[in-house]
């Protein structure tokens, strides 16, 4: 068996990365992350260390430098091929060089090369990026420091020569350590911080609790993504920040002019929000690749991703409104659909779908998501039934940009809600699907339950579609604004919309500006307005400018891509120019640093050392079937076959025969509900309620179906309030099915089940 003490390479040689220290600073909803990577070459020959690692997909990498001894070398941003050639030339002439570049396939994968590390020499690499924090459906702000990078599946027949090769090992074998600490600053009190990892208690730095520090608990292993969810009081307050331009930059350029970042939280009238839509075409697209057989968390006892997805589909199907249409697709190396085209939601169609869902396993091989998406978009939309697409995937694909191109081209015909399942899900893919599809993204990691997050997104999908969105600015005479963000295509109740604008000109008049978002909601004109100070904020550095540059770079990169994925030359030139000017990474540029002052040239050929990154096991736990088809395409070049064999042995080493666990009582009750919303009085319902058939029948004061439905509602409200967000929509459907019932029925139900609920509490 392999030694687990850090001798990771197949040749049993040491990996030169010793530790990663991460400092996080969060100001309101923007995070600045500084990572310091410490390298040491303990070998007797010079090495080139290659580290391929994940970052948030929308991060703006804005600084890269190296410290060798007492000397700091700061990298420059250059066109990618030029940077690569400069790196190669430096190494061939015996100089030290450092290269950082973004993957051309996916903006959440970076590769770092530390070239020319002499025997016994140490280097400290500093990497800095800024990123917006995504707002979850429960109003928490999500920060994720990715640690897990699973091999990205390359579609069959595609050229994989340019794809990034990931050297990954089971998380327990990662040889370097992680130290992580964060400082939080907010204009509003910080209520709490939750995490997928163990944290030390939150330390407040002032009495009004607007500043705090957070640290990982001692003993944390770098075996999972570090996820923080930050909750502020009154999180839905709109804000605007104006940041002064860079004094050394030319006026009229993005970096030389002031930039405003506006954060809006539209609030819809209560009269509109209380009316849930009863129409729509709901298309569910489920990943059934081999990796979906992994556990949903780090605990072996937890359910698998595919079983959690099946339970979620049950809740979704029970929560759909009568009168809508639906279909379910599943995909792996190929794809399947339950119906040839979307069908009307009825008892018959729902039961047929649930029967198929029950038999779904993670047995379809790879992760070919593009073809089923194309097939869905090729289906004609149903008049007066807006299409809502729900995508469930662990997000391990190598053609992210191609997938997002297709979603963007079809953004006018649907809204896309995406769910990243498990550690290592690609943030670029999950966030990109929702952004390009005008929907909402959620991540299910650690011990998260999938069901409440998905039902929260269903609520968004059932909100009335917002149409005719426009943004207007009110600025003093002499000032104008150039909007840098793509147009807002979707608005959801309480969800943030971010807008970046470059301010040009000068004005001696008013010191206040305004921005107004106008839209049509349920046929009625609505608007939200924010007034803001034009005085530049202090202590922002160039964070807002860099985020604005990153937003504009991403928009340009998505423009004018043809069917082959080739980018227009003029667009590339604009991106390179903006990336170099702003110092922010792009897919067409790279950071390059060369130590030209090194007095001694590196002697002898460099030995390449691939640094491993944590990866989850891609295997079927219950039949010991390793998914080599998926693994080999993107991965086998980077690992020798004997190392892959060790990897498989480690994966299956401790597999146990799965135990049949009793079904969740909530899901048991939900599974008995009819499409119309009612329940039937039968022995299965009695058992789900914890009663005998005789007990249930004996006290029946009304017709069987009404009585069964009242009992189900009382049981949900009386015993499952902790999971209310999961069942509330299907309970609303049940309440609307019930004709006005006499209070005696509720009283009788309370007496039978030992509850004391009022009629109003049951939404009757």
């Amino acid at each position: 068996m392999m030694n687990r003490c850090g001798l990771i390479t197949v040749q049993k040689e040491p990996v030169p990365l010793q530790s990663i220290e991460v400092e996080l600073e969060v100001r309101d909803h923007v995070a600045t992350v500084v990572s310091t990577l410490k390298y040491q070459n303990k070998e007797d020959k010079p090495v080139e260390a290659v580290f391929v690692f994940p970052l948030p997909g929308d991060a703006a990498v804005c600084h890269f430098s190296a410290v060798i001894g007492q000397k700091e070398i700061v990298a420059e941003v250059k066109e990618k091929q030029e940077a690569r050639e400069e790196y190669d030339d430096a190494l061939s002439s015996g100089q030290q060089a450092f290269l950082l570049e973004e993957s051309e396939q996916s903006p959440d994968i970076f590769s770092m090369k530390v070239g020319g590390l002499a025997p016994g020499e140490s280097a400290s690499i500093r990497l800095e990026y800024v990123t917006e924090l995504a707002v979850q459906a429960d109003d928490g702000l999500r920060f994720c420091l990715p640690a897990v990078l699973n091999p990205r599946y390359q579609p069959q027949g595609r050229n994989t020569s340019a794809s990034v090769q990931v050297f990954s090992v089971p998380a327990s074998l990662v040889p370097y350590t992680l130290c992580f600490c964060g400082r939080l600053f907010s204009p509003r009190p910080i209520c709490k911080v939750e995490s997928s990892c163990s944290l030390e208690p939150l330390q407040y730095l002032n009495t009004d609790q607007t500043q705090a520090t957070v640290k990982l608990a001692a003993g944390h292993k770098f075996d999972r993504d570090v996820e923080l969810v930050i909750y502020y009081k009154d999180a839905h307050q709109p804000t605007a920040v104006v940041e002064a331009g860079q004094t050394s930059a030319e006026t009229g350029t993005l970096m030389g002019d002031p930039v405003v970042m506006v954060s809006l939280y539209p609030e819809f009238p209560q009269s509109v929000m209380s009316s849930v839509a009863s129409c729509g075409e709901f298309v569910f697209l489920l990943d059934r690749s081999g990796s979906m057989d992994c556990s949903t968390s780090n605990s072996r006892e937890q359910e698998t991703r595919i079983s959690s997805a099946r339970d979620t589909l049950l809740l979704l199907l029970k929560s759909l409104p009568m009168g809508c249409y639906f279909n379910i697709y599943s995909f792996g190396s190929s794809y399947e659909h339950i119906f040839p085209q979307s069908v009307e939601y009825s008892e018959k169609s729902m039961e047929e779908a649930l029967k198929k869902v029950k038999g779904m396993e993670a047995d379809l091989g790879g992760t070919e998501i593009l073809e089923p998406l194309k097939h869905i978009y090729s289906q004609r939309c149903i008049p007066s039934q807006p299409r809502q697409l729900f995508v469930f995937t662990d997000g391990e694909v190598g053609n992210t940009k191609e997938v997002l191109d297709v979603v963007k081209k079809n953004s006018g015909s649907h809204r896309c809600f995406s769910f990243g399942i498990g550690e290592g899900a690609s943030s670029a893919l999950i966030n990109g699907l929702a952004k390009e599809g005008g929907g909402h993204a959620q991540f299910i990691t650690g011990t998260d339950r999938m069901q409440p997050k998905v039902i929260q997104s269903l609520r968004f999908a059932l909100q009335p579609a917002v149409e005719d969105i426009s943004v207007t600015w009110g600025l003093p005479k002499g000032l104008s604004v150039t909007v840098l963000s793509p147009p807002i295509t979707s608005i959801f109740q309480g969800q943030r919309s971010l807008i970046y604008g470059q301010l040009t000109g000068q004005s001696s008049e008013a010191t206040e500006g305004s921005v107004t978002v106008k839209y049509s909601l349920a046929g009625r004109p609505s608007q939200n307005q924010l007034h803001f100070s034009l005085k530049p904020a202090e202590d922002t550095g160039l964070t807002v400018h860099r985020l604005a540059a990153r937003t504009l770079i991403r928009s340009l990169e998505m423009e004018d891509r043809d069917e082959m994925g080739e980018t227009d030359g003029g667009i590339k030139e604009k991106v390179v120019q903006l990336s170099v000017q702003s110092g922010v990474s792009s897919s067409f540029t790279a950071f390059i640093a060369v130590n030209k002052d090194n007095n001694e040239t590196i002697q002898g050929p460099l030995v390449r050392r691939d640094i491993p990154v944590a990866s989850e096991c891609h295997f079927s736990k219950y039949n010991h079937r390793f998914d080599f088809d998926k693994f080999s395409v993107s991965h086998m070049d980077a690992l020798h076959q004997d190392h892959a064999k060790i990897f498989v042995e480690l994966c299956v080493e401790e597999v146990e025969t799965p135990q049949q666990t009793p079904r969740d009582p909530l899901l048991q009750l939900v599974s008995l509900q009819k499409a119309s919303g009612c329940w039937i009085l039968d022995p299965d319902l009695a058992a789900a309620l914890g009663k005998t058939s005789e007990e249930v029948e004996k006290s029946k004061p009304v017709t069987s179906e009404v009585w069964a439905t009242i009992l189900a509602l009382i049981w949900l409200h009386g015993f499952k309030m902790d999971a209310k967000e999961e069942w509330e929509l299907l309970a609303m459907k049940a309440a609307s099915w019930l004709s006005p019932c006499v209070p005696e029925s509720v009283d009788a139900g309370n007496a039978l089940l030992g509850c004391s609920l009022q009629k109003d509490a049951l939404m009757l």
Side-chain angles (χ1 to χ4, degrees), residues 463-528:
Q463 286 180 15
V466 174
E467 299 172 327
D468 305 324
I469 303 170
S470 66
V471 178
T472 55
W473 296 78
L475 296 171
K477 189 176 180 182
L479 272 184
S480 61
V481 64
T482 302
V483 178
L484 306 172
S485 309
I488 298 174
T489 57
S490 64
I491 295 176
F492 298 107
Q493 162 73 12
Q495 279 301 293
R496 185 183 67 200
S497 297
L498 271 177
I499 307 169
Y500 293 95
Q502 179 181 345
L503 299 172
T504 53
Q506 289 186 335
S507 175
S508 57
E509 295 182 13
T511 58
E512 188 179 81
S514 68
V515 61
T516 305
V517 179
K518 296 181 179 179
Y519 49 90
S520 175
L521 180 66
R524 288 184 290 179
S526 298
Q527 70 174 45
N528 294 99

Side-chain angles (χ1 to χ4, degrees), residues 22-26 180-184 212-216 228:
V22 178
E23 296 175 44
L24 166 70
E25 182 178 288
V26 175
F180 175 92
C181 62
R183 289 171 63 92
L184 315 178
T213 59
V214 62
K215 290 183 180 179
L216 283 177
L228 301 180

Side-chain angles (χ1 to χ4, degrees), residues 64-121:
F64 181 59
S65 61
V67 175
I68 308 289
Q70 299 299 311
K71 179 174 179 59
E72 181 183 27
I73 311 131
V74 179
E76 299 177 74
V77 178
K78 295 188 177 182
E79 191 276 326
K80 186 174 279 186
Q81 191 55 39
E82 181 187 345
R84 287 172 175 173
E85 290 172 3
E86 186 175 335
Y87 175 82
D88 291 340
D89 289 346
L91 295 191
S92 62
S93 61
Q95 293 176 310
Q96 290 173 324
F98 309 88
L99 184 73
L100 177 73
E101 59 180 278
E102 178 185 308
S103 163
E104 291 169 10
Q105 286 83 36
S106 187
D108 62 345
I109 299 180
F110 281 74
S111 63
M112 180 191 299
K113 293 183 178 180
V114 178
L117 209 54
E121 191 168 46

